[in-house]
Amino acid sequence: MATSDSTPPLPVTAPLAPKKENMTPVGSKIAELNESRTELLSRIQGLKQDLQNWRSKLDTQVKIYRDELTELKKTLNVEVEQLRTEFQELRTTLHQQQEDVTASLRNLGDVSEGAKEA
C-alpha cells in the first residue's frame, strides 16, 4: 500500500515586493535624517567657531597676564636691587659708626688714664 499524506503542500510565495506604501515613510525618514544631519553639522560648525573664539580669548588673556608678570618681575628686581644697595650703605654706615664709637671710647679711656696719672 502506498501512503498518502493528508496535508496539502504549502503554496510557494514570491518574495515580498516593496510596496509604494512602505517607500513613502522611508523617503520621509531619509529626508528627516538629512535635515537632522544638516542641523548637527551646523551645530558642530558653531561649536568649532565658539571653541576657536574661546581659544583666541584665552590666548589673549594669557599673553596679557604674562606681560603683566614680566613687568612686575622687572619692577620687583629693581626694588630688590635698591634694597640691597640701601642695606649695604646702612651696613657701611653702621660699621663706620661702630669704629667711631670704639675710637671715642679709646680716647676717653686715654684721657681718663691721663687724668688719673696727673
Side-chain angles (χ1 to χ4, degrees):
M1 263 188 64
T3 60
S4 66
D5 285 334
S6 62
T7 59
L10 292 173
V12 177
T13 57
L16 293 176
K19 296 180 181 178
K20 287 192 176 190
E21 296 169 2
N22 289 340
M23 292 300 277
T24 305
V26 169
S28 66
K29 286 289 184 189
I30 289 174
E32 283 180 40
L33 289 172
N34 282 335
E35 185 178 332
S36 177
R37 179 178 177 260
T38 303
E39 284 180 33
L40 288 172
L41 287 174
S42 175
R43 287 179 64 192
I44 288 171
Q45 289 298 331
L47 289 172
K48 282 182 180 179
Q49 187 64 42
D50 289 347
L51 181 60
Q52 284 179 334
N53 291 340
W54 181 79
R55 277 184 171 171
S56 176
K57 287 178 183 176
L58 184 62
D59 288 344
T60 302
Q61 282 298 111
V62 166
K63 185 182 180 329
I64 289 170
Y65 290 151
R66 279 187 179 160
D67 292 346
E68 287 177 1
L69 284 173
T70 300
E71 193 61 36
L72 287 171
K73 186 177 177 183
K74 287 177 184 177
T75 303
L76 183 62
N77 285 338
V78 167
E79 290 178 3
V80 165
E81 193 57 41
Q82 287 174 346
L83 284 172
R84 282 186 182 144
T85 302
E86 289 175 14
F87 275 118
Q88 185 61 38
E89 290 172 0
L90 183 60
R91 185 180 298 138
T92 303
T93 303
L94 287 173
H95 186 68
Q96 184 63 45
Q97 287 177 352
Q98 184 180 8
E99 288 177 1
D100 291 347
V101 167
T102 304
S104 294
L105 288 174
R106 280 190 202 139
N107 290 338
L108 209 73
D110 289 344
V111 170
S112 298
E113 288 178 17
K116 286 181 186 177
E117 291 176 7

